[in-house]
Amino acid sequence: MEIPGRILIGTMSAAVMFVSACGGEQTDAMPEAGSAEEAPAPSEAWPASSLQPDTTGAAIWTHLHENDYESWATWPEMGELYEGQEPHGAQLTTRLNDVAAEALAAGSSSFPEGSLIVKENYMPDGSLGALTTMYKVPGYNPEEGDWFYTKHLANGELDQMNGMSMEGRVPGCVGCHQSVADNDYVFTGELGR
């Protein structure tokens, strides 16, 4: 069966517009096994060149590397390779995507949706041990500031805690960061200055 050219071109144009609008990526969220929670709509705060990652450790890792996270701003006054403490590395570098960096520079007392904080965790010998992230997803976990946590080993694999992948509502991360709930669950520096 032959399809008339106008219909074929119209159908192809519609498909291209759909794929372009969706970024060609799946954006279904997987916040926690067994959860019926849906993915948040992409935020206008994210750069037009990239959709925000979904809530999976794999999506966060991909997003960081596709968006050259190592070129992102470091936390003001901290710079690179400042002294760390457990459970993070001996030395740390904390990087912020544009959304988070702009909020911090503006003196915001909390981070807006789409904020992504990346902590490079270095071993005593100076090698990268892990990347830990906090990703602000509206409605993801309102009781804990809507932060989605990950901990990736240097090779990109998710670290494990008690047999569970360290992504999402990681009990160790959530439990520790509760102590700074009045600072939007962030330890690195005081917000609202």
Side-chain angles (χ1 to χ4, degrees):
M1 176 174 158
E2 191 171 318
I3 300 173
R6 284 184 304 181
I7 293 174
L8 182 58
I9 290 171
T11 303
M12 290 173 62
S13 296
V16 168
M17 288 189 309
F18 175 77
V19 170
S20 295
C22 295
E25 298 177 9
Q26 181 177 350
T27 58
D28 293 313
M30 291 187 273
E32 193 168 281
S35 173
E37 208 168 323
E38 292 184 20
S43 168
E44 292 179 14
W46 281 84
S49 63
S50 65
L51 293 176
Q52 68 189 62
D54 64 20
T55 47
T56 65
I60 296 292
W61 181 261
T62 298
H63 181 81
L64 294 178
H65 291 84
E66 286 180 351
N67 290 279
D68 191 23
Y69 84 91
E70 292 173 312
S71 69
W72 294 359
T74 57
W75 192 285
E77 302 170 7
M78 299 304 279
E80 295 188 11
L81 301 176
Y82 60 91
E83 186 176 344
Q85 59 186 6
E86 289 296 326
H88 298 285
Q91 292 185 313
L92 306 172
T93 298
T94 301
R95 300 187 185 280
L96 307 163
N97 69 352
D98 289 344
V99 176
E102 289 170 13
L104 192 60
S108 179
S109 60
S110 65
F111 285 101
E113 70 176 271
S115 292
L116 191 52
I117 302 170
V118 182
K119 190 165 290 207
E120 297 170 336
N121 303 252
Y122 291 94
M123 306 299 284
D125 68 1
S127 64
L128 180 66
L131 287 181
T132 51
T133 66
M134 294 175 68
Y135 168 40
K136 184 69 89 87
V137 182
Y140 176 74
N141 187 7
E143 297 80 25
E144 306 297 335
D146 284 333
W147 289 107
F148 176 90
Y149 297 91
T150 67
K151 181 177 182 185
H152 287 91
L153 301 175
N155 66 4
E157 291 179 23
L158 282 166
D159 199 2
Q160 301 283 311
M161 178 182 280
N162 299 325
M164 297 177 63
S165 293
M166 294 185 72
E167 63 180 333
R169 296 176 180 99
V170 180
C173 301
V174 170
C176 186
H177 284 258
Q178 284 176 339
S179 67
V180 288
D182 60 345
N183 196 55
D184 200 17
Y185 299 86
V186 176
F187 279 100
T188 307
E190 187 178 337
L191 303 182
R193 298 187 308 146

